[in-house]
Amino acid sequence: METRTSDAHVIDTPAIELPARSISELDRLGDEIAELSAHLEAATARLLTLIREFDARGGWNNGFRSCAHWLSWRVGLDLGAARERVRVARALGTLPRLAQALARGELSYAKVRALTRVATPETEERLLAVGRAGTAEHVERIVRAWRWVDRKAERRAAAQQHAGRALHVRQDEDGMVTVRGRLAPEVGALLLRALDAAREVLYQRARAHEAEVGPMDVSAETPSMAQQQADALALLAETALHHGIDPGTPGERYQVVIHVDAPVLADPDQPGQAVLEEGARVSAETSQRLACDASRVVMRHDEEGRVVEIGARTRTIPPALRRALQHRDRGCRFPGCGVRFGQGHHIRHWAQGGPTTLSNLAMLCRRHHRAVHEEGYRVERRPDGDMQFRYPNGWLIPGVPPPADVPADPEHVIRAQNQADGLALHARTATPSWLGERLDVGYAIAVLHPLARKR
Ligand SMILES: [Zn+2]
Ligand SMILES: [Zn+2]
């Protein structure tokens, strides 16, 4: 222990030489911190239950991208913390033991947050024991090691799947060809989509043929699903060879071409139609959205169906203006959104004479561009240049919501609620059973993790 001398440059720590009375006072202070913390954790459990219900019932789905975005907007959490709350709230829905330990103030939110990253209903009980025994740091280290084992197992499974890909094509004695194989999930999805598309084309062709030559011979039955799939695969092979097996650039592959009757684009209530190139009809509102920031090909038709205008090049926001828009708006302008990139929305649509100028543009993310065009949300430019958004019912959506009413003594309210819930919380409620021994993470994982190699 340092003794303080007048000339020594020793920074004394005041806790060292306290008289006994102060020590017991500080003990009490420490106990008070521990006890109030337990109360707050119990209240956090209630908060998470409310968030889970709000999320499940879609309470946020009135213009917000996600429950986390709503939470961030409404209570001022940063988005990362809000996402974490929602994640933990959802996870606790299937992990009743961990949920209960938090509700009883026995486990801190920090521990529960870490444990829910790996816990499953099967491993929950073991991980709860880890949470009870260890400090927050122990829990964090064990969870990290646990995830590593999980990820290794996942990678192993993915590698096995990938290695197991195969396509066997065999010619039978009668000349028929048998195809059998196993594809990775995403490749399988691609194949299924291609087969769907090809079947649809064959179906449309058959209908068109029928319309021309009348109903087909009654003896010709509708082909079975398996037969249709075989025909579809043949069409795929034919198409692929015809196009020199060129998958094209992504931009070409997903380009959307819409044909819009000119009056519809200006006013959705006008008669007329908007049709995607593939023939699917879209609503007038959707066609307005697709045309709003037209990096798409928009063909306007007159009454006789002649193309009167191809809009893409003229309506695309020029690069300099787009940069200015990005600089001014810095992302989606919808309250609480904050997505960094978006589409240029014409506040007054160009088809109604709205100019493609900075003052008539607002950057909106994909989600909110849809909200404005198709879900009845409104964006207006105020005379001072600021933008304001309204719910479909006309109510204003505040950029920052007013703070909630808080009782004069919120601590008392939390304590009273916890007492009403039958909780008897004290300074030792959340104390880990750890006695100071060294944590051997490797051993702990080997014992606890179901997939760990046993030593
Ligand atoms: Zn728009
Ligand atoms: Zn947005």
Side-chain angles (χ1 to χ4, degrees):
M1 192 181 295
E2 303 281 354
T3 23
R4 198 169 193 175
T5 55
S6 56
D7 61 340
H9 298 281
V10 175
I11 296 165
D12 217 351
T13 37
I16 291 172
E17 289 178 277
L18 285 167
R21 197 172 54 84
S22 306
I23 290 175
S24 69
E25 253 175 42
L26 282 179
D27 263 354
R28 266 207 305 283
L29 193 55
D31 282 355
E32 213 175 303
I33 291 172
E35 194 200 311
L36 180 55
S37 294
H39 278 285
L40 292 177
E41 304 295 9
T44 301
R46 281 200 295 277
L47 178 63
L48 291 175
T49 304
L50 297 181
I51 291 174
R52 180 164 62 248
E53 190 187 338
F54 189 74
D55 177 38
R57 293 175 59 183
W60 50 271
N61 201 1
N62 48 7
F64 289 90
R65 299 167 59 79
S66 71
C67 190
H69 281 88
W70 179 87
L71 200 58
S72 167
W73 170 78
R74 186 60 203 267
V75 306
L77 286 176
D78 81 75
L79 193 58
R83 283 209 181 94
E84 200 61 356
R85 292 264 170 108
V86 174
R87 181 191 67 73
V88 175
R90 285 180 188 161
L92 289 182
T94 60
L95 302 168
R97 291 185 180 91
L98 288 176
Q100 218 167 48
L102 181 66
R104 288 200 198 113
E106 293 164 8
L107 279 195
S108 68
Y109 173 69
K111 286 182 181 178
V112 169
R113 196 181 58 189
L115 292 171
T116 48
R117 270 188 242 133
V118 295
T120 62
E122 293 74 45
T123 58
E124 180 189 12
E125 186 140 28
R126 273 176 261 176
L127 286 163
L128 174 60
V130 168
R132 284 215 170 102
T135 65
E137 194 229 340
H138 294 158
V139 171
E140 189 60 46
R141 282 170 61 196
I142 288 192
V143 164
R144 235 179 294 147
W146 192 288
R147 283 188 98 177
W148 188 76
V149 175
D150 280 351
R151 273 201 301 268
K152 228 170 87 169
E154 256 168 41
R155 273 201 300 271
R156 236 180 359 244
Q160 268 168 9
Q161 269 193 349
H162 183 67
R165 73 193 187 282
L167 189 69
H168 305 282
V169 184
R170 184 170 52 83
Q171 189 150 32
D172 292 339
E173 277 160 25
D174 63 354
M176 295 291 275
V177 171
T178 302
V179 180
R180 191 175 61 82
R182 255 174 80 79
L183 302 176
E186 70 280 9
V187 180
L190 191 64
L191 177 67
L192 288 177
R193 262 177 45 200
L195 287 172
D196 280 353
R199 271 208 327 276
E200 180 62 26
V201 168
L202 291 173
Y203 175 74
Q204 297 292 357
R205 272 191 202 166
R207 289 254 320 249
H209 182 72
E210 220 172 292
E212 264 171 37
V213 303
M216 267 188 278
D217 192 356
V218 249
S219 66
E221 284 172 36
T222 331
S224 72
M225 181 64 176
Q227 287 169 331
Q228 289 177 38
Q229 293 281 65
D231 297 342
L233 185 61
L235 180 59
L236 288 186
E238 223 178 284
T239 312
L241 290 176
H242 179 67
H243 290 284
I245 315 198
D246 174 15
T249 63
E252 284 170 0
R253 263 181 281 166
Y254 299 113
Q255 190 170 55
V256 177
V257 179
I258 45 173
H259 297 263
V260 195
D261 287 350
V264 174
L265 202 51
D267 177 2
D269 293 333
Q270 288 290 316
Q273 57 173 354
V275 185
L276 292 178
E277 185 84 325
E278 304 86 69
R281 210 168 270 217
V282 296
S283 73
E285 288 80 10
T286 301
S287 72
Q288 280 199 338
R289 170 167 60 82
L290 294 173
C292 192
D293 184 356
S295 47
R296 300 134 193 103
V297 182
V298 178
M299 299 179 190
R300 299 169 81 188
H301 298 249
D302 62 12
E303 278 101 89
E304 280 85 51
R306 282 187 309 243
V307 174
V308 292
E309 186 192 347
I310 297 183
R313 271 164 208 94
T314 52
R315 299 303 171 184
T316 305
I317 299 169
L321 184 54
R322 191 177 291 280
R323 274 198 296 279
L325 180 65
Q326 174 76 43
H327 179 76
R328 187 196 67 187
D329 287 358
R330 301 191 178 281
C332 179
R333 291 292 297 263
F334 202 90
C337 178
V339 164
R340 297 256 304 284
F341 297 98
Q343 306 170 327
H345 167 67
H346 286 72
I347 296 173
R348 185 179 163 76
H349 201 280
W350 56 259
Q352 292 160 337
T356 303
T357 57
L358 198 54
S359 61
N360 189 43
L361 289 171
M363 185 167 282
L364 293 176
C365 70
R366 210 178 257 278
R367 166 72 187 83
H368 287 127
H369 203 188
R370 175 179 287 278
V372 165
H373 277 282
E374 282 129 300
E375 293 170 17
Y377 288 81
R378 295 211 303 269
V379 51
E380 301 148 1
R381 219 180 106 85
R382 294 207 316 227
D384 64 0
D386 222 10
M387 263 171 244
Q388 61 186 20
F389 290 78
R390 290 179 183 281
Y391 289 109
N393 66 7
W395 291 358
L396 203 63
I397 308 176
V400 178
D405 288 333
V406 175
D409 183 0
E411 182 190 335
H412 176 77
V413 173
I414 287 177
R415 284 174 184 273
Q417 170 87 54
N418 286 342
Q419 201 180 8
D421 286 354
L423 294 175
L425 301 176
H426 51 78
R428 301 266 166 271
T429 303
T431 308
S433 56
W434 178 59
L435 296 172
E437 63 276 19
R438 202 178 73 81
L439 173 69
D440 183 345
V441 175
Y443 175 74
I445 290 293
V447 171
L448 294 169
H449 198 298
L451 296 174
R453 296 233 176 82
K454 303 295 172 210
R455 284 189 183 177

